[in-house]
Amino acid sequence: MARRTEYSEGQEDVAPDRAARGKPLAVVKGVPAYASGRAPAYLRSKAQLGVVRRKPAAGQQAAAYVYAHWYGTRIALWDPEEAVRMRPLSALQRRQMQQRRTCTGCGEVFPVPVWGMCGACRDQEAWRREDLRRRTCQDCGTVFRTPAPARSCGEGMCLACDERLERGRRVALSLMERSCRRCLVQLFPRAVWAAMSEREQALADWHCAPCEQEIEQERVEARRRADRARWDDLGPTIAWAQKILADPDAYAVLDNETTGLTATSRIVEIAVTTASGTVLLDTLLNPGGEPIPAEATAIHKITDAMVEDAPTFSEILPRLTEALAGRRIVIYNREYDTGRLLWELHLHHQAQGTVDFTKHPRYGARRHAAAQAWLDAQAWEECAMEQYAAFYGDWHDYFGSYTWQKLGGGHRALGDTRAVIRRLEEMAKGRGFEFSEGGS
């Protein structure tokens, strides 16, 4: 009578090697699936059949499945008696299999492929290469019988190379007071610089006049190449500035200083000049009794005492209208300054007692219709800040646009208008580069 196994229900007459050693975990398409080590012992996987040069026959169904517990994959098991023999290996295949199982170092044949060297030979080869590296001069490449000791210029140098680099280091140190780093790098090899300490290298961290000219020329050429690459953005800004400076009296440059950056901030100073610099209007404004915050005063240095006796916006509005009449208006950060003008115009017309309001086309805020009409009647040029940002070329990847640049006019109205004129002159020159219309 056959020996009873762990799972022998209904299997008393089954041979021990054909009896399952546990209950199946599931049934997949009528085939039992066992946990690892619970399937009948006589079944074989494809890999196990391949060892004895057999494979599942055409149309043969898997006799069972087993779950590989280390990664949960279901593996098919086959009955070896139903399997068929594989085609005999050719002489070339047997030779290739033999080569994969043969160590190229010691020549020993292993039962599994070693793909070159066995572990012992691989370790021995690694030790041999390391020993050869330690006995080879890293500068001249000479191989010695014993490893080169660490000397003043570094590990792996022979005595001759060490002395040569030491002489070069001393010569370089003697020339550092008279020659700059760029000149010395061209005279001495990289190994000489590697042998120097950071303090010694810092002694030559300057450039002589000829090298400064070469570096500046390289910088100019690099900027020229970058500008040519973005000529579609740079060209229109140069042409825009040149158009304004070609007829400067036909353009007005306007700037405001305010009590803050909110939508209801009041203007405390306003200036208007022509693009040639002629002053058309320059005055402080009384913000209607509204105090100037300390943070605003810290920027433009305008205090409440300075604007106490100044005219109001309503009083200078005729002069402002006359200064802008017939001229196209250039503003650095146009959107902000026109917003402050619209608010002042709104308060001006509201104080006159009229109630004709309309919505601002962009913000939706209610503003006096006459205020919006005055603003729409003016000829506004492109924003000078956006034009100069495209000219400067500091691209911001996150926002996908050119970064706005500071004006640098001192945060006073008249000084800022003159700074805008300087920016226009800078853009009109095109950095001194000659470009054709196509940017070539």
Side-chain angles (χ1 to χ4, degrees):
M1 183 176 178
R3 181 176 59 85
R4 298 179 62 87
T5 61
E6 181 180 343
Y7 178 63
S8 57
E9 180 180 351
Q11 303 185 38
E12 290 80 358
D13 298 332
V14 179
D17 61 336
R18 291 183 170 271
R21 289 169 286 183
K23 293 183 178 180
L25 300 178
V27 176
V28 181
K29 297 180 180 180
V31 178
Y34 298 92
S36 178
R38 300 301 184 184
Y42 78 100
L43 298 178
R44 297 289 184 268
S45 65
K46 280 187 177 181
Q48 292 171 332
L49 290 176
V51 174
V52 294
R53 301 298 300 163
R54 301 184 71 88
K55 65 179 181 180
Q60 181 180 351
Q61 299 294 325
Y65 292 101
V66 63
Y67 289 100
H69 62 81
W70 53 91
Y71 51 81
T73 301
R74 189 173 65 236
I75 301 174
L77 300 178
W78 311 85
D79 188 345
E81 296 179 358
E82 299 180 11
V84 297
R85 289 186 174 277
M86 292 183 180
R87 185 174 58 186
L89 293 175
S90 64
L92 176 61
Q93 289 175 325
R94 288 195 299 270
R95 187 163 58 252
Q96 290 175 341
M97 291 180 65
Q98 181 80 0
Q99 290 174 352
R100 288 195 292 268
R101 293 187 290 111
T102 303
C103 174
T104 57
C106 60
E108 182 178 353
V109 179
F110 292 86
V112 295
V114 293
W115 306 103
M117 289 186 177
C118 62
C121 292
R122 190 175 290 110
D123 292 342
Q124 186 176 3
E125 177 65 16
W127 178 87
R128 186 191 66 79
R129 291 181 179 180
E130 177 62 21
D131 177 68
L132 179 63
R133 186 194 66 80
R134 289 188 288 108
R135 292 188 296 108
T136 303
C137 176
Q138 302 301 312
D139 190 57
C140 65
T142 305
V143 180
F144 296 88
R145 298 181 63 181
T146 58
R151 295 187 175 90
S152 60
C153 287
E155 182 182 0
M157 293 284 185
C158 66
L159 184 60
C161 292
D162 186 82
E163 292 177 351
R164 178 174 52 81
L165 291 180
E166 180 63 23
R167 287 195 302 269
R169 187 178 71 87
R170 290 180 184 143
V171 173
L173 288 175
S174 66
L175 295 176
M176 278 183 177
E177 296 182 357
R178 303 188 302 274
S179 301
C180 70
R181 184 183 187 93
R182 186 184 179 95
C183 296
L184 294 177
V185 168
Q186 297 174 358
L187 293 175
F188 297 97
R190 187 181 302 272
V192 172
W193 289 95
M196 295 182 182
S197 64
E198 294 182 1
R199 185 183 64 82
E200 292 173 341
Q201 292 181 10
L203 295 177
D205 196 12
W206 60 282
H207 295 101
C208 59
C211 289
E212 282 286 359
Q213 295 177 359
E214 292 181 8
I215 293 173
E216 181 61 26
Q217 184 64 27
E218 292 173 359
R219 186 182 300 112
V220 169
E221 290 298 328
R223 190 61 180 268
R224 185 194 296 266
R225 291 191 295 269
D227 288 343
R228 282 174 175 160
R230 63 181 191 91
W231 180 251
D232 290 343
D233 293 334
L234 180 62
T237 66
I238 297 176
W240 177 77
Q242 291 174 345
K243 176 193 68 173
I244 295 175
L245 296 182
D247 189 9
D249 292 334
Y251 293 86
V253 182
L254 182 146
D255 189 80
N256 298 319
E257 299 300 329
T258 63
T259 59
L261 301 176
T262 65
T264 57
S265 296
R266 303 296 300 273
I267 299 176
V268 296
E269 188 178 37
I270 187 170
V272 181
T273 67
T274 64
S276 60
T278 303
V279 179
L280 304 176
L281 177 65
D282 178 26
T283 180
L284 294 170
L285 294 182
N286 190 323
E290 180 178 333
I292 303 176
E295 54 270 21
T297 299
I299 296 174
H300 51 53
K301 304 301 186 293
I302 300 175
T303 63
D304 292 328
M306 295 171 61
V307 301
E308 184 177 358
D309 298 327
T312 63
F313 180 83
S314 298
E315 293 172 348
I316 63 96
L317 180 57
R319 294 172 55 193
L320 176 62
T321 304
E322 181 181 0
L324 300 180
R327 292 185 173 91
R328 299 191 64 83
I329 309 166
V330 179
I331 301 179
Y332 205 82
N333 196 355
R334 186 188 70 179
E335 183 176 346
Y336 172 76
D337 280 23
T338 54
R340 303 293 68 70
L341 288 172
L342 180 61
W343 178 246
E344 292 289 351
L345 290 164
H346 167 74
L347 295 178
H348 165 72
H349 289 287
Q350 188 180 39
Q352 294 180 349
T354 57
V355 293
D356 186 10
F357 293 98
T358 185
K359 284 188 176 181
H360 189 275
R362 178 172 181 136
Y363 302 104
R366 292 177 62 81
R367 297 289 183 263
H368 201 282
Q372 187 65 51
W374 186 95
L375 208 66
D376 295 340
Q378 310 306 317
W380 305 102
E381 271 291 331
E382 299 291 335
C383 177
M385 181 175 65
E386 295 179 0
Q387 293 288 330
Y388 185 74
F391 173 81
Y392 193 84
D394 185 9
W395 182 261
H396 199 294
D397 291 330
Y398 180 80
F399 293 105
S401 62
Y402 292 107
T403 303
W404 295 345
Q405 303 300 316
K406 293 182 178 180
L407 180 58
H411 296 291
R412 292 300 297 265
L414 184 59
D416 285 352
T417 59
R418 290 170 175 167
V420 172
I421 296 174
R422 291 195 297 271
R423 293 287 183 264
L424 292 173
E425 293 172 347
E426 181 184 349
M427 287 189 285
K429 293 178 182 178
R431 300 194 187 93
F433 301 157
E434 295 294 336
F435 292 102
S436 65
E437 185 176 354
S440 61

